[in-house]
Amino acid sequence: AKELGRNQYRFFTESLHDQLQAYIRFSREMPKALETNSFILEYQPQVSLKTGAIIGVEALVRWDHPELGIVSPQRFISVAEETGFIVPLGRWVLKTACKTLKHLALHQMSHIKVAINLSSRQFRDPNLLTMIRQMLQEYDVDPACLELEITESLLMHDIGLAIETLKELQALGITIAIDDFGIGYSSFNYLKTLPINVLKVDREFIKDIPDHLDDMEITAAMISMAHRLGMTVVAEGIETQVQQVFLEEHHCDIGQGYLFSRPIELSKLMVLLTKQDAK
Ligand code: C2E
Ligand code: CA
Ligand code: CA
Ligand code: CA
């Protein structure tokens, strides 16, 4: 027990030290990384649970660091949010996603949607709408192909302003998804007042299916209530066929997870989509 205690203590202090080091290092290096084109956008397929076809992708950012290798967004997004760097980074993500949408349309794949993650800081940026409008125009993107994933915490800051912004985005033809649903303060009573098209059930509820009956019941209830509110449901983090079958039986619309594909680079996505078109 003594040994464990000491190790835990060491782990704790090292982790704090690492966090601080990473914060200082990343906040200094990130702006340069954008200039040297060191961020990468990967795409994770979203599959129709009715037809099995890939109907969209979620774009996920990575950092190809000269010394550290590929750095996960779990390590640098929170730093980018705190320093404000998320605004230029988010702009790069949107721009890259728009280029990809243009590329898809040029290859007769204009039915594929691209979803990007929007952080709270970006959402509160007064230039957001203008920037999105300009970007859609510059790359000649059909707004119906762009989906924005937001979280509940983003809505908390100023619910009135959030609803206004969401409505304006929807008026442009953009789809709004609520990400990581179920783990925060979410309530359906509150959700019904919001202009949201898609609900993404968090992996937390999916990962223990079929071992945890309560997760299965909650998931089934979330799907049926979301449908009642007219929303499309995406289940995140599907890793097994048992989970897929459970979700299909409960009429979940779309699945995303390692069972179908990990996040992949654009060229690999094009191969998958071309194969599927050939069938
Ligand atoms: P998220 O938006 O919830 O994205 C889903 C995460 O789950 C991704 O992690 C994805 O790789 C992972 N995942 C997908 N399927 C499975 C599965 O079957 N099993 C498991 N264990 N994991 C799965 P990733 O790429 O590391 O991204 C982590 C988080 O970083 C994202 O969570 C999102 O919150 C944030 N993020 C990523 N890209 C961006 C971005 O461009 N902008 C912003 N603001 N945040 C981003
Ligand atoms: Ca997401
Ligand atoms: Ca998510
Ligand atoms: Ca998550």
Side-chain angles (χ1 to χ4, degrees):
K2 205 176 167 193
E3 186 77 19
L4 183 71
R6 197 183 64 208
N7 283 340
Q8 276 178 346
Y9 174 72
R10 277 190 50 197
F11 176 73
F12 184 62
T13 51
E14 276 177 7
S15 146
L16 273 182
H17 179 76
D18 285 353
Q19 279 177 34
L20 189 60
Q21 287 258 299
Y23 184 90
I24 294 166
R25 181 175 190 176
F26 288 178
S27 55
R28 200 174 39 217
E29 292 178 346
M30 278 191 288
K32 207 179 128 231
L34 198 55
E35 284 170 29
T36 55
N37 238 321
S38 300
F39 290 101
I40 302 168
L41 214 50
E42 287 192 334
Y43 304 89
Q44 185 176 36
Q46 296 188 331
V47 172
S48 160
L49 293 178
K50 289 185 194 86
T51 67
I54 299 170
I55 55 170
V57 293
E58 176 177 0
L60 295 154
V61 70
R62 280 91 181 82
W63 180 2
D64 188 1
H65 192 282
E67 285 148 33
L68 302 173
I70 303 294
V71 185
S72 152
Q74 268 153 330
R75 291 185 64 196
F76 65 84
I77 288 289
S78 60
V79 181
E81 273 166 358
E82 277 180 63
T83 63
F85 178 70
I86 194 71
V87 174
L89 179 63
R91 188 186 154 83
W92 177 86
V93 168
L94 174 67
K95 186 178 182 150
T96 308
C98 286
K99 285 184 190 170
T100 290
L101 280 166
K102 185 168 187 174
H103 184 77
L104 287 165
L106 285 172
H107 289 78
Q108 284 74 48
M109 286 164 185
S110 50
H111 52 289
I112 304 294
K113 293 179 89 164
V114 176
I116 63 172
N117 292 281
L118 213 61
S119 88
S120 155
R121 189 81 166 244
Q122 280 175 279
F123 193 69
R124 281 179 289 148
D125 178 1
N127 289 320
L128 180 74
L129 271 148
T130 312
M131 197 232 340
I132 291 178
R133 226 182 272 120
Q134 283 174 351
M135 212 71 95
L136 291 173
Q137 205 170 16
E138 183 175 347
Y139 293 96
D140 197 21
V141 168
D142 177 2
C145 292
L146 183 65
E147 188 163 302
L148 300 178
E149 297 191 3
I150 61 165
T151 57
E152 295 157 76
S153 59
L154 171 152
L155 300 170
M156 291 296 152
H157 283 285
D158 183 345
I159 187 71
L161 184 68
I163 291 177
E164 272 317 298
T165 309
L166 292 178
K167 281 187 177 155
E168 287 180 89
L169 289 165
Q170 281 183 336
L172 289 179
I174 293 169
T175 307
I176 307 293
I178 187 143
D179 201 4
D180 305 336
F181 191 78
I183 57 168
Y185 315 87
S186 1
S187 85
F188 275 94
N189 193 35
Y190 158 76
L191 199 65
K192 78 177 181 210
T193 65
L194 299 173
I196 287 168
N197 313 97
V198 176
L199 181 144
K200 297 191 77 176
V201 177
D202 195 77
R203 189 178 89 85
E204 200 56 39
F205 299 95
I206 309 300
K207 70 177 181 18
D208 296 316
I209 295 175
D211 301 323
H212 291 185
L213 288 177
D214 50 349
D215 286 344
M216 295 165 80
E217 277 172 23
I218 292 168
T219 299
M222 285 198 282
I223 296 168
S224 87
M225 281 199 269
H227 281 164
R228 237 173 282 170
L229 294 178
M231 294 188 273
T232 299
V233 183
V234 180
E236 298 193 278
I238 304 176
E239 294 186 358
T240 70
Q241 202 141 29
V242 173
Q243 292 165 350
Q244 181 191 350
V245 169
F246 173 83
L247 291 160
E248 278 169 5
E249 281 172 351
H250 289 82
H251 312 290
C252 181
D253 305 283
I254 297 168
Q256 185 182 342
Y258 295 168
L259 176 68
F260 306 110
S261 170
R262 289 190 174 248
I264 50 178
E265 59 183 64
L266 180 60
S267 61
K268 286 192 183 149
L269 175 68
M270 295 310 287
V271 172
L272 277 188
L273 292 174
T274 308
K275 266 193 212 158
Q276 134 172 331
D277 262 16
K279 275 188 204 155

